[in-house]
Structures are given as structure tokens and as C-alpha cells.
Amino acid sequence: MPSMPVGLSRDLPPKRVMRASVGGQDIVVWRASNGDIAAWDNRCPHRGMALSHGFVRGNALACLYHGWHYEQSGRCSYIPAHPDLDPPATIHTTRFGVTERDGVIWVDTSGTAKPGMLTESLDALRSLIAEASETAVVAACLRTPFEGTMPRPSDSSLYALGTIRLALLMNPLGPSRTQVTVLTSTGLSLQTRHALSRWCETLRRNAEASGTGDA
Amino acid sequence: MSDFTLYTYVLSASCYKVRLMAALLGVPYDSVAVNFYPGFEHRSEAMLALNPSGTLPILRAGDLVLTETQAMLGWLATNHDRTGRWYPAADPVLGPQVLQWLGFAARLTGSAGLARLHAILDWPVDGEAVRKAALKDLRELELLLTDRVLAGRTWLVGDHPTIADIACFPHAALSPDAGLEHDGFPAIRNWLYAVRSLPGFVTMPGIHELLELREPADPQ
Amino acid sequence: MSLLYASNDWYPVADAACLARGPRKTRLLGTDLEVLGPFDDPVVTDMGGRRFPVQVRYDHLWTTIGDDPRPLFDIPEADEPGRRHVPCGVVRVKCSPLRAVENFLDIAHFPFVHTGILGAEPHTEVATYKAEIREDADEVWATNISFYQPQAAKSAAGGITTRYEYRVPAPTAAVLYKTCPPRPKAMDVIAIFVQPRSETDCDVWPWMALYDDTTGFADLAQFQQEIFLQDRSILENQRPVKLPLDPKLEIPTRADLTSIAYRRWLKRRGAYYGALTDQT
């Protein structure tokens, strides 16, 4: 399973938690107070609660159900029901590889995260989920014009829209569900970025309309 | 000394909009719990006499009776916010923008709000239809909030939270109750967090307190 | 196998309030049913018209689809004079019926899920208590529990240390006895009666029998509804969905004695509907 783009760094400030999915694996991605990012199996080993509902205290992620604290190593460091107990080392979360590059968060469930290489510097635009296959999204991209210009594929994940460059980073969530993280060339006006965001909506509409609707 | 009486139901997201606004503005009020469910008391003769549309919440301040949630938010801001920032009604741009969002909030009540009631209380509506409408509305909210993020803004209108944010917040925050998760909506997620971080914020079931803002040894 | 065992219990399928509004179409253990009023002379049938036995108890209508049902459990406090009965309506949750019961038995979550009501930091410590399977009644009991609560009940004037006892008389029902603020020698009774629609979704009917002469019905019911809806967000986010009965997947501590006893008791009885075991 290669590394997958799960969202934008901008959308995960310090002390925040988000949910992601890679290859069918439910994942919690969170950022400690010190800025360090971590990605774990989204399940507290106590009673199976989704850690993505949890809260960050200092550099630990606490589960919402019973407040069990897990430090960045994944090890349980505090159990509020037993404040004087030093939790045994056997209580820990399952960690995955995670890294950030070009403003994108990449997760790897089989080892160290290796982000897709981008040949140029790009700005993060947005990340969205389409109820369509990756193939349908790519096909829709090639027939969704932006201000009269049809996108041309240039490099892997990269498209040229006239003078604008666009990267569509795909994370397939299912046979008919894809997370698309969109980056653009730098130095674009706010107006253009707003227009590109709307282009993403049209792209999604076209991708979803083309599917058989069979989820 | 209470400023108004609110007829309310603890699980109602619409009632919560008013409770939240009152808490953020520090306005004291009396609460009358109406047995919306399981008793359907909002449809009783007594309640219909007060509010012919049979909905909750109902706000009563002296002789004034308000039955539209968004109007209650406007009343609270106009009468209790000396800064004028929560509802900049007189501003030629911000004022209409707030009104636009209040219209959107009403749409959300009919889509995400009904989807939630269907999922939790088996409300007799077409569950699939309201969920589909809710998804469409959430995507619209995500698009418009992404505009704001790209412009370096936090709130729906202007540079300060307004009644627009409070009107849209509950149904957006509670969409997971109906299985509509926020995974694909990072802008919504971050805006919800900003609202939850406001001083004086109060919760309702399904919307959690930010325990990260509380140090464990803080007194309650 | 697990369905056969589960079918021989009684389950709630309606209350007076919902039958007053008309027939109720519902689902029990995967079987679609229709419940017809009036509440004092109800009829429960499947889609083919086959009738099932009914009884009205604890302000709910109970039915069974089994051929040899175990008797419905007894809650003697229900008949004590002076108690207010509060049927709270029904809430649908996408979770295992067994997860719903186990959550009801848990107290370590109070400061985090019911913050400011049933618990608050820093009062998070769970002192040792006693949990056992009472062989004579074949029920799970937990006793000698105490916990500090900022708002233990609608009738409580401020924070108090509450005493708790839990009782599980059937796999999908749980009863809580807790300190009653207006009458320190008595206990309030709070229960959940779970109607399993399938192994992974259920209708939960909370119910109470309290000593409280001053609080209105709406306030009493909504106090309980608020608490249950806070739990719903947890219940719909636990994985695996079914309750694991083998200890490999989930790690308990001493605060989880009731849950440990409950899971062991379910396994012993073969009550696997909604559970994950090596066999299911």
C-alpha cells in the first residue's frame, strides 16, 4: 500500500485531531502542542472508541470515552480512573507512517510515509471527497474546462490549465469514493483561487454524474 | 432577573441556537421544558395558542412572542450586544450577508435537521431524501467556508462571529448524528472548532465540550 | 444459534405515547413487526399476520418471538407507592444492543462524556467496587460504587457523592439504583430496555422510577434523554461494532469490573446476538 495524501497541513493546526482513511483502514491524524504530527489506527484499545473524537492535552491525545492519554510514541501514559497507576507498556495504539510535504499530509499504513514527488512548488487549495472512482475523477478532469480552457495532463497528478498548474492527488476510499487533494501554482489571486475552488465543485459533479451510481 | 422565557426541548438543535446565543452574550433567561418528545406537547392546545405553527423554540419577552429561531437570534443581538458586532444590521454589506446566511440556516434545518430527527427519533420523513439534501447543503457550506479560509477569514461574515455563525452551527455540528461525517469537510470542521472555542460556549448532546481547553485540575 | 437464544427473551416494542399516535412498524431481531394499540389491549404481528404474545410492564409493551421464552425480569421497585414513572421514549442507535448495555454499566466515562452532570475532572478516580454474577438469580450485580457528581439528578441541589448499584437481569436490559437526593434512605431506579433491531442497530427505551414530587415530567424525561444522547455519539463510534467477548481485542482495568462480569456472563449463557466471539 503506497503512501496516500489524506489532507492539508493547513487544516490541522497544533492541538487538533482529524479522521482519515487509507486502504480501508480508519486512521486518526493529530498534531501535538509541539507541532509534531502522528497517525494511528483510529481505535482506542480500551473499548474500541474512535480516537478521532479525542482531544489533545500537551503532547498527548486523550480518548473521549474514558480520557485515556496516549503520548506521541503511542504508549498509554495516563488512565484517569486510576490516576496513580503507571499504565503497562502493553497498552498502546498502533502507529502508522506520516509525513508532510508541499502542505499535504501523507500517511503510509505499511511503513515510512513517502510522499508523492511534485516537480514544482505548489500551493494547497483544498481537499474534498467525491462519490466517484479515481478513474471517473481523472476522466471528468479532462472534460471540465476552467474559464474556457480544458485541462491537459502534464506529469503524473499534474494538469495544465493555460498558465495555471494544478495537481490532483488521489486517495481512493472505495470503489466509488475518492478523496481528492488539490494544489495549484503559486502566486494566484484570491479571485482565481475562489474560481478554482468552484471548478473543483464542477469536477466533482461531472465525476459523480458519470458513475453508474453503484457505490 | 431574567430577560426572557424560552420554551425549549433539550434535544432540539433549533432551541440550542437560542440557548447558545444567550450564553455567549451572557443573557439570563427562564427555561420552560416542553415535552416535545415523547409527549408531542408542542402540538397541545396550550402550546398552539402560543405558537400556531407548533414549533419550538418559543421566546417570550414581556408582550413580545417570537417563534422563528433566526428572529430570536436577531432579537438577542439587537437588544443585548452593545458592540453591535453580532448582528451588524445597519452595515450595507455585512447586514445582507448575515440575512443570506440566516436563509441558509433555515434550509439546513429542513435538510440536516430532519435527517438527524429521522436517524435519532425515527421521525416520519423520507430519510434518504433528507440525507441527500443535507449532503448537498453541507457541500455548499464547505465551498463557501473554503472561500473564507482562502481569504484568511474565520467567520462566515466579516471579522467577528455573528448570528450567522450561530444560526448555521448546530445543524452542521450535529450532522454525524445522521451519519453525515465531517471527514470530507475540513473547512466546516475548523469553523466548528472556532465556534466551540468562543468564551461562554455551551454544549448540547452530540456537540462536545472542548476538554482540551480545560486543564484537568481546573475547578468546574 | 445466537438468534435462537436471543428470541427466547421479552423485548420492549412500544410505549403508550407512541401507540397513541397510531400503529408502530418496527423490527425485532431482524423480524419486521407491526404493533397496534390501544396500549391496554395491544396486538403484535409480523408481516404475515402471525401474532406474538404481549405484556404491559414498566410502562412499555413487551413481546417475544421465541417459542419458549424466559420470564420477563421483575423490578419490584416499580410497584412502590410514591414513585414517579418516567418512560422517556425511544432513541435509535446504530450499535450492538450489547454495547448499549455495557455503556450504561460504565462509570469511568462520566467526567468525559457527561461533563458537569454525572462527573467532572479532576474527580475521575474509580474506587474499587464489587462486581459478581449472582448464581441464584443468574444476573450480574455491581455494588459498593460511589462517585462524585456535579448534578446527579434533577432533584439534586448541587454536587454530591452518589452511591450506585447496577443490575443486569437480561442480556439487553440494565437497571441502575442510585442515591435519591430528596430521600437519602431510598434509591432512584433508572433503567434501559434495549430492543435489538439487528445485531448492529437497536432502539433504546430509557425508563425511570423516581422519588421526585416537584420536578415536571418534561424536565425529568429530558434530563435522562440528554444523558443518553451524549452516550449515543460514543456508541456509534466504537469498533468492532459487535461486542468482543474474548479479551484479546480490548483491554479492561479494575474500573471495568462490571463490564468484565457482563461479558463473561454473556459468554456463559451463549448470549451472542450482537457479540463477536471466536464462533461468530
Side-chain angles (χ1 to χ4, degrees):
Chain A
M1 185 86 226
S3 300
M4 285 295 166
V6 301
L8 300 179
S9 302
R10 149 193 109 198
D11 291 331
L12 194 70
K15 296 192 74 168
R16 298 295 306 284
V17 189
M18 61 176 258
R19 188 174 201 166
S21 179
V22 170
Q25 167 70 54
D26 193 16
I27 295 180
V28 57
V29 186
W30 64 282
R31 197 185 298 278
S33 300
N34 63 15
D36 290 349
I37 198 169
W40 296 341
D41 177 11
N42 190 16
R43 202 185 63 87
C44 178
H46 180 210
R47 287 290 181 256
M49 176 63 187
L51 287 169
S52 53
H53 278 64
F55 54 100
V56 178
R57 286 227 177 113
N59 295 318
L61 176 65
C63 178
L64 184 61
Y65 199 175
H66 304 93
W68 288 23
H69 283 45
Y70 296 91
E71 49 197 24
Q72 290 168 285
S73 63
R75 196 190 140 151
C76 178
S77 58
Y78 176 63
I79 294 177
H82 311 291
D84 298 328
L85 173 71
D86 200 11
T90 46
I91 307 180
H92 61 82
T93 61
T94 301
R95 292 180 299 159
F96 296 125
V98 60
T99 194
E100 297 178 87
R101 193 205 214 105
D102 304 307
V104 177
I105 302 169
W106 296 80
V107 171
D108 197 309
T109 52
S110 52
T112 315
K114 286 176 284 293
M117 293 295 290
L118 289 171
T119 51
E120 57 189 283
S121 176
L122 295 170
D123 273 349
L125 183 73
R126 61 182 294 201
S127 189
L128 62 161
I129 293 179
E131 302 299 331
S133 69
E134 184 175 349
T135 313
V137 173
V138 171
C141 176
L142 296 173
R143 58 168 205 280
T144 304
F146 176 70
E147 293 176 351
T149 307
M150 207 61 89
R152 282 184 308 107
S154 78
D155 217 335
S156 74
S157 306
L158 277 177
Y159 298 84
L161 279 175
T163 55
I164 298 171
R165 227 94 60 247
L166 206 63
L168 296 187
L169 304 177
M170 308 286 195
N171 176 19
L173 303 176
S176 295
R177 198 165 140 89
T178 308
Q179 179 181 16
V180 186
T181 300
V182 186
L183 311 176
T184 71
S185 25
T186 57
L188 299 179
S189 70
L190 182 61
Q191 194 181 4
T192 303
R193 299 180 86 207
H194 282 175
L196 283 168
S197 181
R198 274 153 186 71
W199 175 85
C200 291
E201 297 290 310
T202 313
L203 164 68
R204 174 166 59 191
R205 258 194 302 277
N206 290 341
E208 290 180 349
S210 70
T212 56
D214 202 17
Chain B
M1 179 62 197
S2 285
D3 282 49
F4 65 95
T5 299
L6 189 70
Y7 293 81
T8 181
Y9 174 53
V10 75
L11 301 185
S12 160
S14 294
C15 294
Y16 171 61
K17 291 181 195 180
V18 184
R19 294 195 286 111
L20 176 56
M21 192 73 255
L24 294 172
L25 290 174
V27 183
Y29 64 96
D30 289 323
S31 225
V32 174
V34 177
N35 187 2
F36 182 87
Y37 181 82
F40 281 69
E41 190 188 346
H42 53 297
R43 302 273 171 181
S44 68
E45 289 304 318
M47 293 304 304
L48 286 173
L50 189 57
N51 177 10
S53 77
T55 58
L56 286 179
I58 305 170
L59 184 153
R60 176 142 64 175
D63 289 333
L64 176 70
V65 175
L66 294 176
T67 61
E68 289 295 322
T69 310
Q70 272 62 260
M72 297 176 210
L73 299 180
W75 179 84
L76 276 168
T78 305
N79 289 282
H80 294 283
D81 171 32
R82 278 198 216 97
T83 70
R85 294 191 299 198
W86 281 97
Y87 181 29
D91 186 293
V93 173
L94 300 182
Q97 285 178 335
V98 169
L99 292 178
Q100 169 122 333
W101 280 110
L102 297 187
F104 179 80
R107 262 197 279 145
L108 261 188
T109 304
S111 62
L114 284 183
R116 173 175 171 267
L117 288 179
H118 177 259
I120 295 178
L121 301 180
D122 199 23
W123 223 242
V125 293
D126 181 343
E128 264 320 293
V130 289
R131 284 182 85 248
K132 199 168 163 203
L135 179 62
K136 179 170 175 290
D137 287 341
L138 288 173
R139 284 176 165 184
E140 181 180 342
L141 180 59
E142 174 72 11
L143 174 67
L144 295 172
L145 275 170
T146 300
D147 278 352
R148 302 293 288 164
V149 169
L150 292 174
R153 305 299 184 97
T154 302
W155 307 106
L156 289 176
V157 176
D159 293 319
H160 186 274
T162 64
I163 57 174
D165 299 284
I166 305 310
C168 296
F169 170 77
H171 287 118
L174 292 168
S175 70
D177 282 354
L180 289 157
E181 301 292 336
H182 298 142
D183 300 354
F185 305 123
I188 292 179
R189 205 177 59 231
N190 285 317
W191 166 75
L192 293 176
Y193 195 89
V195 175
R196 292 162 70 200
S197 302
L198 289 170
F201 180 81
V202 294
T203 65
M204 74 164 277
I207 299 177
H208 214 82
E209 179 170 342
L210 291 181
L211 293 174
E212 51 268 71
L213 295 183
R214 194 195 287 279
E215 284 310 308
D218 276 357
Q220 291 295 313
Chain C
M1 186 55 203
S2 64
L3 177 59
L4 179 61
Y5 182 87
S7 68
N8 282 316
D9 268 322
W10 290 81
Y11 298 94
V13 288
D15 64 7
C18 81
L19 282 187
R21 292 194 300 280
R24 179 173 194 248
K25 278 189 154 58
T26 188
R27 180 174 296 165
L28 177 62
L29 301 168
T31 299
D32 287 333
L33 300 176
E34 186 165 47
V35 186
L36 297 159
F39 189 65
D40 55 7
D41 188 22
V43 170
V44 175
T45 63
D46 66 12
M47 297 296 98
R50 175 183 162 198
R51 279 193 172 205
F52 296 98
V54 295
Q55 58 175 303
V56 174
R57 199 79 179 88
Y58 316 123
D59 307 293
H60 289 84
L61 174 63
W62 301 72
T63 193
T64 179
I65 60 171
D67 294 320
D68 187 19
R70 291 170 285 275
L72 179 59
F73 48 84
D74 196 27
I75 304 178
E77 294 80 7
D79 299 320
E80 281 171 356
R83 286 192 184 264
R84 301 265 301 276
H85 284 208
V86 187
C88 301
V90 67
V91 176
R92 181 156 305 170
V93 191
K94 278 202 179 70
C95 72
S96 157
L98 307 179
R99 286 268 197 207
V101 169
E102 188 178 78
N103 164 268
F104 186 82
L105 302 172
D106 178 271
I107 58 170
H109 72 282
F110 289 169
F112 302 99
V113 181
H114 308 299
T115 313
I117 312 173
L118 301 184
E121 292 177 285
H123 311 278
T124 58
E125 182 162 15
V126 175
T128 304
Y129 59 90
K130 183 175 179 193
E132 59 182 332
I133 297 173
R134 291 192 182 168
E135 303 293 349
D136 50 346
D138 194 17
E139 297 182 352
V140 178
W141 276 83
T143 54
N144 201 32
I145 300 166
S146 73
F147 210 67
Y148 173 78
Q149 306 200 306
Q151 173 93 61
K154 207 67 197 167
S155 55
I160 58 173
T161 296
T162 320
R163 283 176 14 250
Y164 266 55
E165 287 184 8
Y166 283 106
R167 171 190 169 206
V168 186
T172 57
V175 186
L176 159 65
Y177 302 90
K178 69 184 278 188
T179 306
C180 168
R183 288 203 201 182
K185 287 204 170 62
M187 305 277 262
D188 277 340
V189 176
I190 297 143
I192 55 162
F193 306 133
V194 182
Q195 172 194 342
R197 293 170 51 85
S198 72
E199 289 197 86
T200 57
D201 81 312
C202 49
D203 277 349
V204 179
W205 304 83
W207 173 83
M208 304 188 285
L210 312 169
Y211 286 115
D212 182 330
D213 296 324
T214 54
T215 311
F217 182 92
D219 281 295
L220 289 176
Q222 291 181 31
F223 183 82
Q224 193 54 33
Q225 289 174 345
E226 175 173 19
I227 288 167
F228 186 68
L229 262 292
Q230 288 173 334
D231 284 318
R232 187 179 180 276
S233 327
I234 301 289
L235 289 170
E236 293 208 333
N237 287 286
Q238 285 179 278
R239 300 287 178 273
V241 177
K242 294 187 192 177
L243 186 77
L245 294 187
D246 291 317
K248 286 186 282 289
L249 265 181
E250 298 187 351
I251 305 170
T253 70
R254 266 195 356 264
D256 302 312
L257 292 177
T258 317
S259 135
I260 294 166
Y262 175 62
R263 292 187 183 195
R264 198 169 76 237
W265 178 76
L266 289 173
K267 197 168 181 192
R268 222 170 66 159
R269 279 180 153 226
Y272 297 144
Y273 194 83
L276 202 64
T277 67
D278 290 339
Q279 289 103 47
T280 62

